[in-house]
Amino acid sequence: MNPVLEPLFRTVRATHPKADLRLIERSYDVAAYHHRDQKRKSGDPYITHPLAVATILAELGTDDETLCAALLHDTVEDTAYSLDELRADFGDTIGSLVDGVTKLDKVKFGDAAQAETVRKMVVAMSRDIRVLIIKLADRLHNMRTMRYLPEHKRHQKSRETLEIFAPLAHRLGMNTIKWELEDLAFAMLYPKRYDEIARMVSERAPRRDLFLQEVIEKVSGDLREAKIRAVVKGRPKHYYSVYQKMIARDVAFDDIYDLVGIRVLVDSVRDCYAALGTIHARWNPVPGRFKDYIAMPKFNMYQSLHTTVIGPEGKPVELQIRTHAMHHRAEYGVAAHWKYKEEVGAPGPTGKVKPGSDMAWLRQLLDWQKETADPGEFLESLRFDLSVSEVYVFTPKGQVIALPEGGTPVDFAYAVHTEVGHRCIGARVNGRLVPLESRLGNGDTVEIFTSKSPDAGPSRDWLKFVKSGRARNKIRQWFSKERRETAIEAGKEAIGRAMRKQGLPLQRLMSGESLLALARDLRYPDVSALYAAVGEGHIAAQAVVQKLVASIGGVESAEEDIAETSLPTRLRGRPRGGGAGVVVAGDADVWVRLSRCCTPVPGDEIVGFVTRGHGVSVHRADCTNVQQLREQPDRLVEVSWSPSDDSVFLVAIQVEALDRPRLLSDVTRTLSDQHVNILSASVTTSRDRVAISKFTFEMGDPKHLGHVLKAVRSIQGVFDVYRVSGASG
């Protein structure tokens, strides 16, 4: 046996004892032969990649056909080995798996192309889900070795991973792969945020571990007394999920991180409920935080009991209680099916998911992909559908329907049937009449009233509140077919309104030629198709107006004086060259002011510009406004630094931090400790809980700036601080 394969075979024997090792070895030999002259970007022999992918899959417990396909997955695409030869050597099943993976790899990733890729992926999945499992393992190994790629490639692949591959892994229940993909992509895309969270985690780890140990010992002791065999262990915290929770729950790091998570693994479903009773007898549960995913599994076959209790020291403790089989399925998802084939809904011998299995989500995707003509829109719905959590509601007959969180009776109506959705005029929830936009909660019973009128149809307002991709697609489809004329009128009106609002010349801009040219640019066959697109909300009227304005040369360019909105720096002493620390070549007595748009300080390269009535304004040579000023070379003058003891300079810095209470007061206190006089401050917080603060302050000695930046960087939560220069900041 080839010694290189020993680690792989060790894993295969542990997870899949009946695997055909000879077949796997033959696949390796063929792949190694055909990749023999190829190298990875890291300089390693190419065969290391297929071998690593196969090892990841072996750890998941996949079958031998999947492992062979993983070893061969790049041969058809990257070597002279043809698909027909592969089919002849290894049979149709392995051949079609490799073909599926190759087809996914062939597609180039642009925005619409990316949506197409996702579609092809979905189609390939529907034929054989193992194609996607190989693709996920392939992406995971590529993410582990991503550091050898150029930066723009790393960013593109990481974003793709966060938006498409990690959510797909989640949908297929493959949490081990999902977590690693997310953390790797997070570290690539936002290295500073990642490092800050890692630093905060490691600072608190010792205290948290002691608390965790205490809880585990108490739970284990209680279960032993109740004669329940159980394994109790802590749950690992993943950096990306900590960050996601900070955004989703809008809370600071400490509130998330103090939540201790514990997992209890037992032998049977009956033991799950017995363990829950035992734990609730010791600690009080938090109302509203108990979820029974055993009776009502999640979309990706995930089963578990979730509860949060008030543990020792009054701190909340999250518990997950499940059987060992459920745990394996929660970690490896679809891939675990090969180990638990006897359970309902396991793939058949061909690896296809049998009808009636839990993978209804895949079937729903296939339906959409037939319904949605526009690849971009399909990708949007898919991204949305991958990222939402669900609520479960009942039909009057007791059938369970899963809807996205925040789903409304209209979403429910479309989930039952398209016609029920189109004709929906009212709803009753738990026996009470409710507005159509009201949010449904877990366990609600929903009854829909429909109209008998032949003209019945959805309302455009529904698009403002429906949450499910299916409902949104169906409503848009209906308007596309039935209401084109109305949409054209509405679009025309909306564009006219947007122009009047900006005081733009309607006649000049709405002329046939410029609109037709724009319609062609935006890939619409004619002007009425463009109007209809605006009327149906596919493209905003404002965006059309902006593109029109740009196409005829833009709104008249701003006056040079607008670029010169710099305010004179408040100078101590006389406002001449010396006080500003700058002298004009040939005339030391000209009034000089340091421009506010780029706040130059000694050491920066500078240029002077003679303004009308305000002396000479001094800019950094790389200031964005200088580009415009260079168009009037006769007003540019040579200037040089000559700081004196009473010179004062303006400095602008930007501080980026993970938002938390008291962050601003900590930063301002640190700045005042550094004897800095703050003139202005602005703070914005983005939706992803990043607080961006800009401070402008006066300094006598610019060399002091390094110490200031270092002091601010050491504040908890701050992951970046730097001097801002140039008007664009």
Side-chain angles (χ1 to χ4, degrees):
M1 181 201 290
N2 190 329
V4 176
L5 293 175
E6 188 44 51
L8 172 65
F9 282 177
R10 226 186 357 262
T11 313
V12 173
R13 283 191 202 103
T15 57
H16 199 74
K18 292 181 187 161
D20 182 348
L21 297 183
R22 276 206 301 278
L23 180 67
I24 297 172
E25 185 166 11
R26 193 155 62 86
S27 308
Y28 173 81
D29 292 341
V30 169
Y33 174 76
H34 287 287
H35 288 303
R36 63 192 180 281
D37 299 327
Q38 294 172 323
K39 291 264 192 287
R40 302 263 295 160
K41 284 267 192 298
S42 59
D44 295 332
Y46 194 90
I47 189 64
T48 56
H49 169 64
L51 186 59
V53 173
T55 308
I56 292 169
L57 292 169
E59 285 160 5
L60 296 178
T62 53
D63 59 356
D64 35 18
E65 288 174 341
T66 313
L67 296 176
C68 296
L71 287 165
L72 296 161
H73 78 270
D74 279 333
T75 49
V76 173
E77 189 181 5
D78 296 341
T79 72
Y81 193 47
S82 74
L83 188 62
D84 292 337
E85 289 175 84
L86 192 146
R87 280 186 201 278
D89 289 349
F90 294 99
D92 278 351
T93 309
I94 294 175
S96 58
L97 286 175
V98 172
D99 186 34
V101 178
T102 308
K103 284 196 174 108
L104 289 188
D105 286 342
K106 277 234 171 78
V107 190
K108 291 287 167 281
F109 282 96
D111 232 7
Q114 190 177 21
E116 276 303 319
T117 306
V118 177
R119 286 204 169 165
K120 293 208 164 84
M121 200 187 271
V122 170
V123 175
M125 275 155 60
S126 64
R127 295 202 191 112
D128 193 331
I129 200 128
R130 292 177 291 181
V131 168
L132 188 69
I133 294 171
I134 296 170
K135 184 69 200 157
L136 286 170
D138 174 48
R139 174 51 63 107
L140 177 57
H141 183 247
N142 282 335
M143 287 301 293
R144 286 176 183 171
T145 53
M146 192 63 79
R147 59 186 179 281
Y148 298 106
L149 289 182
E151 190 176 358
H152 71 279
K153 265 277 175 45
R154 289 205 303 264
H155 279 194
Q156 180 199 347
K157 296 278 185 208
S158 301
R159 184 148 277 128
E160 222 169 75
T161 299
L162 276 185
E163 288 187 349
I164 289 173
F165 290 98
L168 275 172
H170 174 56
R171 274 280 159 170
L172 298 175
M174 299 165 72
N175 284 323
T176 42
I177 287 200
K178 172 193 124 142
W179 286 321
E180 192 177 345
L181 282 174
E182 284 178 341
D183 278 356
L184 289 166
F186 182 39
M188 287 284 172
L189 281 175
Y190 304 111
K192 289 176 176 168
R193 294 180 202 183
Y194 180 90
D195 291 345
E196 184 60 28
I197 287 180
R199 186 175 70 87
M200 294 196 290
V201 166
S202 62
E203 272 176 9
R204 289 164 182 69
R207 194 181 71 234
R208 188 172 171 275
D209 289 348
L210 285 173
F211 179 74
L212 188 67
Q213 213 38 55
E214 181 190 347
V215 175
I216 289 177
E217 280 165 15
K218 286 183 177 165
V219 171
S220 303
D222 287 354
L223 293 175
R224 257 198 313 277
E225 275 175 35
K227 304 226 172 355
I228 299 170
R229 277 209 331 199
V231 178
V232 183
K233 50 187 180 184
R235 248 171 49 224
K237 287 273 185 189
H238 299 277
Y239 296 157
Y240 185 69
S241 65
V242 169
Y243 181 56
Q244 283 299 83
K245 281 181 184 161
M246 286 169 66
I247 297 169
R249 297 187 194 165
D250 202 25
V251 290
F253 173 82
D254 284 339
D255 299 340
I256 292 291
Y257 197 70
D258 283 350
L259 254 183
V260 165
I262 278 181
R263 192 170 283 149
V264 179
L265 303 181
V266 295
D267 294 338
S268 67
V269 172
R270 179 174 293 172
D271 286 350
C272 290
Y273 291 100
L276 179 76
T278 310
I279 290 160
H280 281 185
R282 174 183 275 275
W283 290 308
N284 288 333
V286 176
R289 292 301 298 272
F290 169 67
K291 293 193 176 71
D292 185 344
Y293 292 121
I294 292 181
M296 296 175 74
K298 279 193 185 181
F299 52 79
N300 55 11
M301 310 174 295
Y302 175 88
Q303 286 183 293
S304 205
L305 295 177
H306 286 197
T307 184
T308 304
V309 297
I310 301 298
E313 304 168 31
K315 285 186 181 171
V317 177
E318 285 180 342
L319 291 119
Q320 293 175 346
I321 306 166
R322 52 174 83 141
T323 65
H324 291 281
M326 287 171 191
H327 177 61
H328 191 85
R329 207 164 44 211
E331 296 291 289
Y332 304 125
V334 174
H337 263 312
W338 283 275
K339 293 203 78 173
Y340 293 96
K341 277 199 179 171
E342 69 281 1
E343 293 188 14
V344 182
T350 59
K352 294 179 186 174
V353 178
K354 287 183 195 165
S357 86
D358 309 292
M359 301 304 286
W361 176 74
L362 275 181
R363 289 201 301 281
Q364 180 194 340
L365 266 190
L366 285 170
D367 293 345
W368 275 5
Q369 94 117 10
K370 289 177 196 130
E371 285 160 16
T372 316
D374 170 29
E377 189 182 308
F378 173 77
L379 183 61
E380 260 323 294
S381 342
L382 176 64
R383 274 183 194 158
F384 181 77
D385 201 66
L386 289 174
S387 60
V388 293
S389 37
E390 301 186 325
V391 293
Y392 299 94
V393 295
F394 295 100
T395 65
K397 290 183 177 167
Q399 185 194 345
V400 178
I401 290 197
L403 295 173
E405 198 169 12
T408 63
V410 176
D411 293 295
F412 174 85
Y414 278 103
V416 172
H417 194 278
T418 306
E419 276 309 305
V420 176
H422 287 342
R423 295 178 171 279
C424 165
I425 50 169
R428 193 184 274 152
V429 174
N430 303 330
R432 288 176 43 222
L433 289 170
V434 296
L436 286 178
E437 64 270 22
S438 47
R439 294 173 62 137
L440 299 174
N442 270 321
D444 285 347
T445 301
V446 188
E447 189 181 344
I448 296 293
F449 303 120
T450 54
S451 163
K452 299 282 185 287
S453 154
D455 298 334
S459 153
R460 200 178 290 280
D461 291 339
W462 292 357
L463 287 170
K464 292 176 188 162
F465 60 74
V466 293
K467 287 285 186 281
S468 63
R470 178 184 169 85
R472 190 173 286 107
N473 286 341
K474 292 290 188 186
I475 296 166
R476 281 195 181 139
Q477 238 181 342
W478 191 85
F479 279 111
S480 303
K481 282 184 191 152
E482 305 282 324
R483 297 288 179 272
R484 188 174 162 82
E485 296 304 314
T486 328
I488 289 174
E489 279 310 304
K492 206 170 194 171
E493 217 169 283
I495 292 176
R497 247 197 331 272
M499 286 184 182
R500 279 194 292 277
K501 210 173 187 176
Q502 291 189 27
L504 297 169
L506 270 175
Q507 261 64 39
R508 183 175 164 208
L509 288 177
M510 296 280 272
S511 73
E513 295 78 55
S514 47
L515 262 177
L516 184 61
L518 179 64
R520 294 267 157 78
D521 281 352
L522 295 171
R523 306 267 191 287
Y524 293 108
D526 52 25
V527 176
S528 31
L530 175 64
Y531 286 149
V534 174
E536 285 162 3
H538 293 314
I539 180 172
Q542 190 54 43
V544 173
V545 173
Q546 278 168 354
K547 287 194 164 71
L548 263 180
V549 168
S551 69
I552 59 163
V555 181
E556 276 61 48
S557 49
E559 297 300 307
E560 151 253 316
D561 287 346
I562 292 178
E564 278 298 314
T565 50
S566 50
L567 305 174
T569 309
R570 290 191 302 159
L571 298 168
R572 296 169 191 159
R574 64 194 187 116
R576 290 278 176 261
V582 174
V583 289
V584 177
D587 189 352
D589 211 33
V590 175
W591 182 29
V592 173
R593 64 195 177 123
L594 299 179
S595 167
R596 195 108 183 223
C597 58
C598 55
T599 58
V601 297
D604 293 339
E605 271 187 58
I606 47 175
V607 293
F609 182 76
V610 181
T611 62
R612 297 193 177 102
H614 294 291
V616 171
S617 77
V618 176
H619 292 261
R620 287 173 51 128
D622 57 2
C623 171
T624 47
N625 285 332
V626 168
Q627 318 307 331
Q628 289 165 287
L629 306 180
R630 288 197 195 282
E631 290 166 15
Q632 303 173 56
D634 50 325
R635 290 169 66 182
L636 290 174
V637 292
E638 209 176 299
V639 286
S640 57
W641 290 110
S642 170
S644 59
D645 290 346
D646 60 351
S647 300
V648 177
F649 305 99
L650 273 189
V651 177
I653 65 167
Q654 179 154 314
V655 180
E656 295 176 7
L658 299 170
D659 196 21
R660 63 177 172 82
R662 304 185 53 76
L663 174 69
L664 184 60
S665 71
D666 286 354
V667 176
T668 46
R669 193 178 62 246
T670 304
L671 287 173
S672 63
D673 289 349
Q674 293 290 318
H675 311 296
V676 160
N677 179 26
I678 300 173
L679 297 180
S680 70
S682 69
V683 182
T684 53
T685 304
S686 60
R687 278 173 57 195
D688 50 4
R689 282 200 70 81
V690 171
I692 295 179
S693 326
K694 290 185 178 160
F695 295 92
T696 308
F697 48 80
E698 290 181 331
M699 292 186 86
D701 179 7
K703 295 192 187 79
H704 182 44
L705 183 62
H707 299 294
V708 174
L709 295 181
K710 195 171 173 189
V712 174
R713 176 68 188 83
S714 64
I715 297 169
Q716 182 194 313
V718 173
F719 58 81
D720 207 0
V721 53
Y722 49 88
R723 183 176 158 215
V724 180
S725 54
S728 61

